[in-house]
Amino acid sequence: MQKDIATPLRTQEILKKYGFSFKKSLGQNFLIDPNILRNIVGHADLTKTSAAIEIGPGIGALTEHLARAAGKVVAFEIDQRLLPVLEDTLSPYDNIDIIHSDILEADVTKIFQEELAGYEDVMVVANLPYYVTTPILLKLIMDRLPIRGMVVMMQKEVADRITASPGTKEYGSLSIAIQYYMKAEVAMIVPKTVFMPQPNVDSAVIKLTRHETPPVSVIDEDFLFKVSRGSFVQRRKTIINNLQTSLPNGKAKKELILQALEKVNVNPMRRGETLSIEEFGHLADELYPHFH
């Protein structure tokens, strides 16, 4: 059995060998606890007929655990300095493809077709760079990739927002955008001590599982997200106030907004954070003919 990359000693050896220094701008925090990695991979329920997509493999700590569990791993690494390191650390495995690219700029759909043809079951499993967690998640979801779901590490505060329920202070347009497509749950909380260098914040791993069908059927998904985003422009304000501000020509069309709210039984004095995804869906459909 290959010696794990993710121990403090081995990580330091590798960094020293390559004279590697962490780039703060890339949010590089490497995991140095094999148990945490085994746990993360365990939550993804992979078999040799599964493929995994990883973002930011670093020196390969999680990548090697994925390679042991899955049939194939495709990992996106933005930092050119890490390519020779990965070639070295992951040399024992023949089922890994490292793509030197920023996932936000990559044509993931094309890579999917080329690299993962033949794999019915695909999971995204990653320790995400914290400064771009949200754009990465939204891109992967909005690109409508044929994935079963994701098991991803992120800042605990973002994890709380993604998994939040209506009526909580964490609940917002991000919760709605992700929960519309995916069931979201916190799989585990991760202490700062298992990273090198240690981040200033606590981390959490969330598990996202694609819904067979979304929780509400809508005329236009983009418009649903526009309405939900608009309802949180100022959290302290009522939904009628926020929608008047955020919808085009909303002030002049106040009566239309009020009628829509009444039709779906939403009190205009409620705040956006109290509405469920279903309520937002019905409201968006009522508003759609007047504002799209």
Side-chain angles (χ1 to χ4, degrees):
M1 187 66 163
Q2 195 48 27
K3 195 167 67 163
D4 280 343
I5 293 167
T7 61
L9 198 64
R10 181 107 195 272
T11 299
Q12 271 163 342
E13 274 173 17
I14 293 164
L15 297 177
K16 198 172 164 191
K17 178 178 173 181
Y18 286 91
F20 183 82
S21 56
F22 293 94
K23 257 191 195 165
K24 214 177 165 73
S25 65
L26 293 177
Q28 288 169 330
N29 300 91
F30 297 166
L31 278 158
I32 50 170
D33 183 329
N35 288 327
I36 297 268
L37 291 164
R38 274 190 284 275
N39 253 334
I40 292 171
V41 175
H43 281 291
D45 302 316
L46 300 167
T47 69
K48 284 295 174 185
T49 61
S50 315
I53 294 175
E54 189 189 4
I55 295 120
I59 58 171
L62 174 60
T63 325
E64 76 170 350
H65 284 266
L66 290 170
R68 291 170 190 168
K72 175 141 191 202
V73 183
V74 174
F76 291 83
E77 179 52 63
I78 195 172
D79 189 348
Q80 191 157 5
R81 302 173 306 153
L82 286 166
L83 302 181
V85 185
L86 288 163
E87 204 169 313
D88 175 7
T89 59
L90 299 174
S91 58
Y93 306 96
D94 60 3
N95 59 341
I96 302 169
D97 274 347
I98 305 291
I99 294 176
H100 178 219
S101 170
D102 178 348
I103 184 88
L104 291 173
E105 288 169 15
D107 183 345
V108 185
T109 307
K110 184 167 175 252
I111 290 164
F112 221 93
Q113 288 157 354
E114 290 170 358
E115 302 281 341
L116 299 176
Y119 285 96
E120 296 287 311
D121 181 58
V122 183
M123 283 292 279
V124 173
V125 188
N127 168 23
L128 293 173
Y130 289 176
Y131 72 108
V132 283
T133 296
T134 306
I136 289 173
L137 286 177
L138 291 174
K139 175 189 165 86
L140 292 172
I141 290 171
M142 300 302 176
D143 277 4
R144 312 281 198 279
L145 298 171
I147 55 173
R148 170 162 52 91
M150 309 190 208
V151 176
V152 280
M153 168 102 71
M154 63 189 62
Q155 200 167 322
K156 183 177 176 296
E157 182 198 341
V158 181
D160 289 343
R161 282 168 48 210
I162 286 170
T163 56
S165 307
T168 61
K169 69 176 196 302
E170 288 81 23
Y171 182 73
S173 53
L174 181 64
S175 328
I176 293 159
I178 290 181
Q179 290 175 34
Y180 176 80
Y181 294 105
M182 305 264 186
K183 178 183 172 219
E185 54 199 325
V186 173
M188 55 200 266
I189 304 296
V190 182
K192 302 170 188 176
T193 48
V194 300
F195 294 95
M196 181 187 294
Q198 283 190 26
N200 311 324
V201 291
D202 284 323
S203 303
V205 173
I206 65 167
K207 181 170 184 174
L208 301 171
T209 313
R210 185 179 290 287
H211 292 306
E212 291 287 323
T213 52
V216 62
S217 169
V218 291
I219 300 167
D220 185 299
E221 290 175 357
D222 292 336
F223 187 70
L224 161 66
F225 301 134
K226 195 174 177 177
V227 169
S228 65
R229 274 197 309 273
S231 303
F232 290 93
V233 174
Q234 289 185 279
R235 288 191 76 96
R236 313 296 306 159
K237 287 200 165 176
T238 59
I239 189 151
I240 181 66
N241 276 342
N242 271 331
L243 289 176
Q244 279 186 88
T245 311
S246 62
L247 290 172
N249 209 7
K251 286 201 171 24
K253 295 183 175 179
K254 183 181 179 179
E255 278 312 309
L256 285 171
I257 301 172
L258 282 168
Q259 281 166 21
L261 287 162
E262 192 181 343
K263 261 194 171 162
V264 296
N265 293 322
V266 171
N267 183 329
M269 303 317 283
R270 281 171 67 181
R271 289 186 184 150
E273 70 200 49
T274 68
L275 272 73
S276 66
I277 295 183
E278 289 80 358
E279 287 177 307
F280 272 118
H282 300 321
L283 177 59
D285 279 1
E286 283 299 330
L287 292 167
Y288 184 75
H290 309 293
F291 292 99
H292 78 283

